[in-house]
């Protein structure tokens, strides 16, 4: 019980101090809009192509939203030493890091619905498989949050976290089958796509939104879940090894 | 009687190295339940590093730590519910108000909402911060930050409290108030581990002190035991306007039975087992054309013990280094 009081209050504090700040909220809105607009212009196609762009936009909204915020909530607190305050509290490290990341996960899920709501005004979304869409969005949020955590605990400066996370984020835009099918990738880049978690998340979204998946859903879900567990464990290990020096 | 049960902190062979620096080297000590233990040492002696290892913020290279009977070597951060920590630098949230910071810290220890709010208000009152309660912590003055950090460290009424230089950076009145508070916590049975540069503060507050230098404990004892041997000593401090001349050797020849040292230029320290007569000394100095500005009899204190002990230590270390230099 006591631990959950701590958990809940860490979450609420992060929401109040970081997530609900106007810059973050507007970032969450502008970002999907900009991406959608850009791909419309590039493709020169009409509204009917929206559903093929939507999965990519949703995945990117989640990825950029969660990783940017995590770099702030974790790296920044490490830098100004308030993270020590959390380490001194009687909470297991696992629960502590879940508290620090649940905010970002929720933020990612909410971000995913921004492009969906915008799209709902423009195209017919009745054929979307929501039973698949929801778990896909949640899993992508978890995986990208934990990827952000992994990056945040691997560096010590906020600006390093930004650089390092861009090193991961931007290649993922092109390598994970978000906007171009994996089959369009040169052969030597294909193996790279399969070691990135977003590939499986994007495949799920393509499947849920317009039935365009290339792998079986259970396989996507399992691999994505394994990425979540692996990244979280690796992050915990890094915190123990690099932060408690 | 000492049993395992009433030992709050037990440390054996604790060591920590940062690159080339041996911050803490094989430190052993025990602190009984309810004791106020002082950890004294110069800058860089290893005090903060020791606290960090005890509180789970740093990993020891070697040694064992028991807090309240819990083996923190095997279970790092296993005793967090017992301890409160006031770090040397503030680690609160700059963007939260003083009140919100305290409530948040209380929540980390699982206090209920009503308890958190009552306790936060109470401590803001105690630390004279009620008026600033709604202001952001980031905008506090240095002393206010210090006081709120201390409040945050005790909000959950810890059994064992670590205070890293609590009175550094706060004004005289607040420091006195804080010492009073430390005494009260001590009276109520809190075990307190206190580091400080102010030796008189340690002498006034602590039951027992450890002197640490270059990561090694050079002495641990009761304050009374430490000061007792030199209590009977008579000490005279003479300040001179002329700082260039050092007359300690000439004076020693002139006044056998008295010990003369010059702790700093312009200051002569005279020690003796018997009473010191000032007149003859001053006359002799004036004959040497020294302008005496002040002569003062001082009571030997823990500080003298500190200088004595750490001085001896420095001497030994120098000799050791010379010895190893000869070999090499
Ligand atoms: N994170 C670190 N990285 C490298 N060296 C460190 C680190 N922390 C401490 N040290 C070194 O270890 C030694 C002991 O430092 P520590 O902070 O424990 O001293 P201290 O007794 O608390 O000093 P002060 O009175 O100045 O607070 C110093 O030489 C310091 O430079
Ligand atoms: Mg220190």
């Amino acid at each position: 019980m006591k631990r959950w009081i701590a958990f809940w209050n860490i979450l609420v504090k992060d929401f109040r101090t970081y997530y609900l700040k106007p810059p973050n909220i507007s970032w969450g809105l502008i970002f999907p809009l900009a991406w959608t607009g850009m791909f419309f212009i590039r493709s020169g196609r009409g509204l009917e192509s929206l559903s093929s762009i939507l999965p990519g936009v949703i995945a990117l909204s989640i990825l950029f939203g969660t990783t940017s915020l995590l770099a702030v909530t974790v790296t920044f607190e490490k830098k100004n030493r308030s993270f020590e305050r959390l380490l001194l509290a009687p909470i297991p490290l696992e629960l502590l890091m879940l508290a620090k990341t649940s905010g970002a996960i929720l933020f990612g899920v909410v971000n995913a619905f921004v492009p969906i709501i915008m799209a709902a005004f423009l195209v017919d979304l009745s054929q979307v498989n929501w039973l698949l869409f929801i778990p896909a969005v949640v899993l992508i949020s978890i995986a990208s949050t934990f990827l952000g955590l992994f990056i945040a605990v691997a560096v010590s400066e906020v600006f390093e976290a930004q650089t390092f996370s861009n090193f991961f984020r931007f290649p993922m835009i092109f390598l994970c089958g978000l906007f171009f099918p994996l089959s369009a990738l040169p052969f030597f880049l294909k193996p790279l796509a399969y070691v990135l978690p977003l590939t499986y998340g994007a495949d799920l979204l393509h499947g849920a939104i317009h039935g365009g998946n290339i792998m079986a859903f259970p396989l996507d879900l399992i691999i994505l879940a394994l990425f979540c567990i692996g990244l979280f464990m690796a992050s915990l290990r890094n915190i123990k090894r690099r932060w408690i020096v | 009687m000492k049993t395992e049960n009433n030992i709050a902190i037990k440390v054996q062979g604790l060591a920590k190295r940062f690159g080339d620096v041996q911050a803490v080297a094989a430190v052993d000590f025990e602190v009984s339940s309810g004791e106020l233990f002082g950890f004294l040492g110069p800058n860089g002696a290893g005090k903060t590093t020791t606290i960090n290892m005890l509180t789970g913020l740093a990993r020891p290279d070697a040694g064992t730590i028991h807090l309240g009977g819990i083996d923190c070597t095997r279970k790092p951060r296993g005793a967090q519910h017992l301890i409160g920590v006031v770090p040397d630098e503030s680690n609160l949230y700059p963007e939260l108000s003083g009140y919100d910071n305290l409530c948040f810290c209380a929540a980390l220890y699982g206090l209920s909402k009503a308890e958190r709010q009552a306790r936060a208000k109470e401590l803001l009152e105690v630390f004279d911060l009620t008026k600033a309660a709604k202001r952001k912590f980031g905008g506090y003055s240095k002393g206010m930050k210090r006081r709120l950090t201390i409040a945050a460290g005790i909000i959950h009424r810890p059994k064992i409290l670590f205070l890293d230089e609590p009175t550094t950076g706060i004004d005289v009145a607040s420091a006195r108030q804080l010492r009073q508070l430390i005494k009260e916590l001590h009276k109520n049975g809190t075990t307190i581990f206190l580091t400080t540069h102010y030796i008189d503060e340690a002498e006034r507050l602590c039951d027992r002190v450890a002197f640490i230098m270059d990561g090694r404990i050079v002495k641990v004892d009761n304050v009374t035991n430490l000061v007792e041997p030199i209590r009977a000593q008579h000490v005279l401090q003479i300040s001179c306007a002329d700082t260039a001349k050092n007359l300690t050797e000439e004076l020693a020849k002139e006044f056998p039975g008295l010990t003369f040292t010059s702790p700093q230029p312009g200051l002569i320290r005279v020690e003796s087992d018997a009473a010191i007569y000032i007149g003859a000394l001053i006359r002799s100095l004036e004959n040497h054309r020294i302008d005496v500005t002040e002569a003062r009899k001082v009571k030997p204190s823990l500080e003298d013990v500190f200088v004595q002990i750490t001085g001896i230590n420095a001497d030994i270390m120098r000799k050791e280094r010379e010895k190893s230099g000869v070999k090499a």
Side-chain angles (χ1 to χ4, degrees), chain A residues 184-223:
Chain A
L185 284 177
F187 73 95
F188 59 92
L189 285 179
K190 273 185 194 160
L192 211 51
Y194 288 100
V195 296
L196 294 170
L198 209 55
T199 302
Y200 306 93
D203 195 50
L204 279 173
L205 288 179
H206 280 297
I209 292 173
H210 57 88
N213 53 309
I214 54 167
M215 285 172 278
F217 293 139
L219 183 68
D220 280 333
L221 288 169
I222 288 170
I223 293 180

Side-chain angles (χ1 to χ4, degrees), chain B residues 18 21 23 42-49 165 197:
Chain B
F18 293 107
V21 182
N43 287 133
K47 304 182 292 293
T48 301
T49 306
E165 293 174 29
H197 292 140

Side-chain angles (χ1 to χ4, degrees), chain B residues 226-287:
Chain B
L226 286 169
V227 181
E228 198 51 49
I230 61 161
R231 268 284 183 240
Q233 255 187 14
H234 297 262
V235 177
L236 178 71
Q237 275 193 5
I238 305 173
S239 311
C240 318
D242 187 352
T243 59
K245 285 189 206 164
N246 188 348
L247 292 170
T248 49
E249 279 178 27
E250 288 173 43
L251 286 169
K253 271 182 221 147
E254 213 172 310
F255 298 92
L258 301 184
T259 322
F260 294 89
T261 49
S262 179
Q264 65 196 59
L267 195 68
I268 298 170
R269 190 182 159 90
V270 191
E271 288 172 5
S272 166
D273 293 335
I276 302 171
Y277 297 100
I278 300 181
L281 270 169
I282 304 291
R283 265 194 300 283
S284 162
L285 281 168
E286 282 172 350
N287 289 343

Side-chain angles (χ1 to χ4, degrees), chain B residues 1 23 32 101 132 149 151 165 174-175 178 185 238 320:
Chain B
M1 192 187 72
S32 312
N101 259 305
T149 309
E165 293 174 29
S174 304
L178 180 57
L185 288 171
I238 305 173
E320 270 176 0

Side-chain angles (χ1 to χ4, degrees), chain A residues 128-146:
Chain A
V128 173
N129 179 354
W130 296 104
L131 280 181
L132 188 62
F133 179 80
I134 306 277
V137 162
V138 172
L139 271 178
I140 296 171
S141 281
I142 298 177
S144 41
T145 299
F146 288 172

Side-chain angles (χ1 to χ4, degrees), chain A residues 85 87 89 91 240 244-245, chain B residues 16 58-59 77 80 91 100:
Chain A
R85 173 77 43 200
L87 285 176
I91 324 162
K240 283 186 194 149
I244 306 176
V245 287
Chain B
K16 178 79 187 172
R59 198 178 323 109
R77 298 181 68 245
Q80 301 307 64
N91 60 5
D100 286 344

Side-chain angles (χ1 to χ4, degrees), chain B residues 30 32-33 40 43 54 68-69 134 137 209 226 281-282 309 311:
Chain B
E30 273 179 21
S32 312
S33 235
L40 305 182
N43 287 133
L54 289 174
K134 291 272 178 303
F137 179 72
V209 294
L226 286 169
L281 270 169
I282 304 291
I309 289 172

